[in-house]
Every structure is written in C-alpha cells, then in structure tokens.
Amino acid sequence: MRCWLIKSEADVYSIDDLARDGRTMWDGVRNYQARNWMRDEMKPGDPVLFYHSNGDPPGVAGVARVASAPYDDPTQFDPASLYHDPKSTPAAPRWQLVDFAFVERFPAEVPLPLLKADPSLDGMELLRKGSRLSVQPVTEAHFQRVLALARG
DNA sequence: GCCAACGTTGGC
DNA sequence: GCCAACGTTGGC
C-alpha cells in the first residue's frame, strides 16, 4: 500500500464536495506523470491526502482513499468538455483516472506554512520549490506526520 | 496581479 | 533532437 496526495482548488472541488458526493471520478488530469501515478501505481484502498491549492493559505483539508481501478477518463472524448483531447480516441486513449472516496475532513486545514516549518516533512514533494504535480506519492512517515498535525 | 517553475508544442 | 515560445500552475 502506498500513500498519496491530490490537489484541488477548494472553489472548484473541495473536501466538502467530496464529503457530499461520497466518491468522485478524478477527471481532467492532463499531466503524464500524474496520470501515470493513477494508472500504474494507485491501488483501491490507498490513503490520500486532499490538498486545497490556491487557498489563503493553502493546506491539507482531509483524507480520501483510492476507490477504483484505473479506467479511461471519459471527458477526453467529449468535445463539449473543457478536458476534451482531440488527439485521444477510445481505441487509443491517452488519459486514465481513478475514483476517490471520502474518508475524513480535518477539523481545520493543516496550512502550508506549518508543513514547511516542520523538519520531519523535509523532502516532501509538495514542499519542493516549483512543484506543480497534482497527483503525487507521499511516504508513509510524511502521511502519518500530516495526520498528527491535523489532530493537533 | 506578479512571477518562477515547469510541461508542451512546433519550427527547424 | 534541439530549443524558443507559449500556456499553466500555484505560492505569495
């Protein structure tokens, strides 16, 4: 089992939206590295930190878990979708995704400055300068540390 | 709103 | 295959 982190802008799709929906299809990822993690490495049941990017401050808002095997992102075939990819066909799809299910919402977000200030999180991909990957692996130690921070 | 970091595209 | 131009992400 591996641990993960996914990013979403809270005003686009937040942990509260996931709590309401129960589970969701993580569509629209159009970065090959992020796709590869979902397609090749994620397993149902893997725990996932849910990060709100672009907040003031940004921070980790809760926990989800991988809730499906990978499958083709249907939005790539839909000309009406923002995520339509004209170079992608059902016979040769480019983009795969997984579903995520709600696990918990933290009482308060763990803010990015707190993560940055924590020496035990050194090396976390999220904290790397210039890191933009929206789906990324997290070590179990880092995952547990974020949970500990969330529980104060 | 600014800008650094990064990924992708396309000309050559 | 190189690399400049461009678009996007995301913190500040």
Side-chain angles (χ1 to χ4, degrees):
Chain A
M1 170 158 74
R2 300 184 69 163
C3 303
W4 306 96
L5 180 144
I6 58 175
K7 298 179 183 174
S8 183
E9 296 184 38
D11 54 3
V12 175
Y13 194 86
S14 72
I15 189 77
D16 293 320
D17 294 320
L18 184 59
R20 179 199 63 215
D21 295 342
R23 69 186 276 165
T24 197
M25 179 175 75
W26 206 247
D27 60 8
V29 171
R30 294 294 179 267
N31 170 284
Y32 289 107
Q33 172 97 63
R35 177 206 65 184
N36 291 349
W37 291 126
M38 288 198 287
R39 186 190 64 187
D40 303 336
E41 303 295 337
M42 285 191 173
K43 298 289 180 260
D46 284 356
V48 182
L49 296 171
F50 194 107
Y51 178 81
H52 285 168
S53 56
N54 276 318
D56 185 22
V60 181
V63 179
R65 66 180 158 77
V66 178
S68 78
Y71 59 100
D72 292 345
D73 181 342
T75 64
Q76 69 193 305
F77 309 127
D78 177 3
S81 170
L82 271 178
Y83 305 124
H84 179 233
D85 183 347
K87 294 179 181 165
S88 198
T89 65
R94 286 184 157 190
W95 305 109
Q96 285 78 35
L97 51 69
V98 297
D99 292 350
F100 293 111
F102 177 75
V103 174
E104 73 170 296
R105 181 187 189 282
F106 294 151
E109 277 187 26
V110 183
L112 182 60
L114 188 66
L115 301 176
K116 285 184 166 177
D118 192 323
S120 58
L121 294 178
D122 282 357
M124 193 175 177
E125 166 67 17
L126 180 73
L127 306 180
R128 218 192 77 239
K129 182 176 169 64
S131 170
R132 296 185 347 193
L133 200 56
S134 64
V135 174
Q136 57 185 255
V138 176
T139 67
E140 184 165 2
H142 288 166
F143 190 95
Q144 292 301 332
R145 180 61 184 153
V146 173
L147 287 190
L149 292 171
R151 280 151 196 167

